[in-house]
Amino acid sequence: MKQNIMAGLAAVFLLTSCNNNEKMLDSLADYNNARESKGYHFGDKLDLPKEVTENAESITISFGDKETTDLTVSPKFFTLGDNDVVFRIKTKNGEVLNQDATINVFTKTPEQNIPYKIVADYPHDPKNFIEGFLMEGNTVYESDGMENASQLIKYTLGSSTPIIVKQQPAEIFSEGCAIVGNNIYQLTYKNKIGFIYDKNTFEELSKFPLPNTMGEGWGLTYDGKNLIATDGSKNLYFLDINDPSKVVKTIAVGGNSEIYNQLNELEYHDGFIYANVWREPVILKINPANGEVVGTFDFTKIAKQNTKGTEDVLNGIAFKGDHMLVTGKNWEKIYEVVFQ
């Protein structure tokens, strides 16, 4: 009889424990889902539901190989934008529960919608699948992608006839480019290498491996000290100019209420980084010190005029003095805009 009673009590305890665990995870999931769109700011406290805190001996947040028991949103662990984490809850009865979550961290200051006016347009060769775009003087340097069609070219603004063309091997898919002194640095998409060329002759000077932390090569620019690269994520990678395979620092980009992933073509101008978002008709103005998006440019109108499919999207930022030049993959025009 005693054995039956003990077995019954154990079954009741197990059922109660399972029910409590399920309630804890359900309440945590509801809380996370409710907060995902609202997000957090640095310094905010994760105010977890009582079903969790009252039944937990400890709560740990895991970030890959890092973890913390501090429920404050700290830049030591979190970055701007989306953060994939795992809540690890040790219950008072000794069980361990895990739940995946996405914690979005936004900036406190809203992005400014920056007005502009188109003041001129120039021809652009629609055969060019543009990946990198920059201007020096009146000369445009352009890196065009696609396998069997990748090239580095330069031409005078207003003419679509190249001055120099550097065709690249069939297996190369060219991406962003940047000028440093007399050299041009160029990324590749999935080939995991970059090239360095002589700016005047396009002679190949050397190659370098892309950093392992970058999944792919997308955009590239130069801030006067470091190369800055994107890989299609929310991150900006600052690369050592003397060893571009070395990441000096990484900064995540975020807005006041928007998650900005798939950062692509880049341009550095007058203390700010400008980046387009792949397949979005928007260019971001980013503070390079902290990754905050301080302004956005909406190019919906010109993107609609030039985008016929899913690939020929906005993807080109350069500066002519303080005027911005904007173009895209296989576009027939380059637009010159002035900020208002």
Side-chain angles (χ1 to χ4, degrees):
M1 178 68 74
K2 282 185 178 180
Q3 287 180 339
N4 290 339
I5 291 173
M6 293 299 291
L9 288 174
V12 170
F13 176 79
L14 182 61
L15 181 62
T16 302
S17 176
C18 288
N19 287 338
N20 284 340
N21 290 350
E22 190 173 328
K23 286 180 181 178
M24 290 174 69
L25 291 177
D26 286 346
S27 65
L28 182 57
D30 290 342
Y31 170 78
N32 287 330
N33 290 335
R35 285 303 304 246
E36 193 166 334
S37 59
K38 183 179 179 182
Y40 297 87
H41 303 109
F42 289 129
D44 287 353
K45 188 84 171 178
L46 274 68
D47 189 17
L48 301 183
K50 289 183 179 180
E51 289 87 350
V52 176
T53 56
E54 290 181 353
N55 293 286
E57 180 181 303
S58 64
I59 301 170
T60 302
I61 304 175
S62 174
F63 309 74
D65 60 348
K66 299 185 296 182
E67 61 181 28
T68 180
T69 56
D70 186 355
L71 298 182
T72 302
V73 179
S74 166
K76 287 173 59 180
F77 295 97
F78 293 88
T79 66
L80 286 173
D82 49 349
N83 294 262
D84 294 328
V85 304
V86 177
F87 283 93
R88 185 166 292 114
I89 302 165
K90 184 177 181 181
T91 67
K92 290 182 178 178
N93 60 16
E95 295 180 81
V96 177
L97 309 176
N98 293 316
Q99 187 173 89
D100 296 336
T102 299
I103 294 177
N104 293 328
V105 181
F106 297 123
T107 63
K108 292 183 178 180
T109 305
E111 303 93 307
Q112 176 191 5
N113 183 17
I114 304 174
Y116 63 88
K117 180 174 68 173
I118 297 173
V119 295
D121 61 63
Y122 307 92
H124 178 257
D125 190 336
K127 296 191 298 294
N128 294 350
F129 196 78
I130 190 168
E131 297 289 0
F133 184 63
L134 58 95
M135 187 167 177
E136 189 176 68
N138 203 40
T139 302
V140 177
Y141 293 82
E142 185 175 313
S143 174
D144 300 319
M146 301 298 279
E147 292 177 355
N148 296 304
S150 286
Q151 61 182 1
L152 185 67
I153 63 174
K154 72 175 179 179
Y155 54 91
T156 302
L157 183 66
S159 169
S160 56
T161 302
I163 300 169
I164 301 180
V165 179
K166 175 72 173 183
Q167 299 287 350
Q168 289 163 310
E171 71 277 9
I172 294 296
F173 193 125
S174 298
E175 284 282 346
C177 62
I179 290 177
V180 181
N182 287 317
N183 295 338
I184 298 178
Y185 290 72
Q186 183 191 47
L187 301 182
T188 57
Y189 180 31
K190 293 185 177 181
N191 303 96
K192 298 296 288 183
I193 58 171
F195 295 97
I196 304 175
Y197 300 100
D198 181 279
K199 180 183 70 175
N200 299 307
T201 64
F202 283 6
E203 176 190 356
E204 183 183 318
L205 303 177
S206 62
K207 297 184 181 74
F208 58 90
L210 266 60
N212 291 330
T213 51
M214 288 178 58
E216 298 171 346
W218 285 42
L220 191 68
T221 191
Y222 177 60
D223 67 358
K225 181 179 180 182
N226 299 118
L227 291 165
I228 306 169
T230 57
D231 65 351
S233 67
K234 66 177 180 179
N235 293 327
L236 297 171
Y237 301 91
F238 290 71
L239 311 181
D240 187 335
I241 190 64
N242 297 312
D243 181 6
S245 62
K246 178 182 176 183
V247 177
V248 177
K249 63 179 178 178
T250 303
I251 292 177
V253 172
N256 179 251
S257 61
E258 293 285 335
I259 299 296
Y260 295 112
N261 287 309
Q262 297 189 308
L263 302 180
N264 199 355
E265 219 269 318
L266 298 176
E267 187 71 23
Y268 181 86
H269 177 72
D270 200 22
F272 290 94
I273 298 169
Y274 295 80
N276 84 281
V277 179
W278 187 47
R279 289 183 173 169
E280 296 291 338
V282 63
I283 289 176
L284 312 178
K285 182 180 181 181
I286 303 165
N287 183 342
N290 53 23
E292 292 188 3
V293 177
V294 298
T296 61
F297 299 85
D298 184 351
F299 289 106
T300 299
K301 186 175 180 180
I302 63 171
K304 283 183 177 179
Q305 293 171 359
N306 291 276
T307 303
K308 302 175 182 64
T310 58
E311 298 300 329
D312 49 349
V313 294
L314 175 75
N315 195 57
I317 311 165
F319 275 86
K320 177 188 173 189
D322 286 329
H323 292 191
M324 181 189 286
L325 299 178
V326 179
T327 189
K329 302 174 188 287
N330 302 125
W331 285 19
E332 295 181 351
K333 289 183 179 181
I334 298 168
Y335 296 88
E336 180 178 346
V337 303
V338 60
F339 306 159
Q340 293 182 305

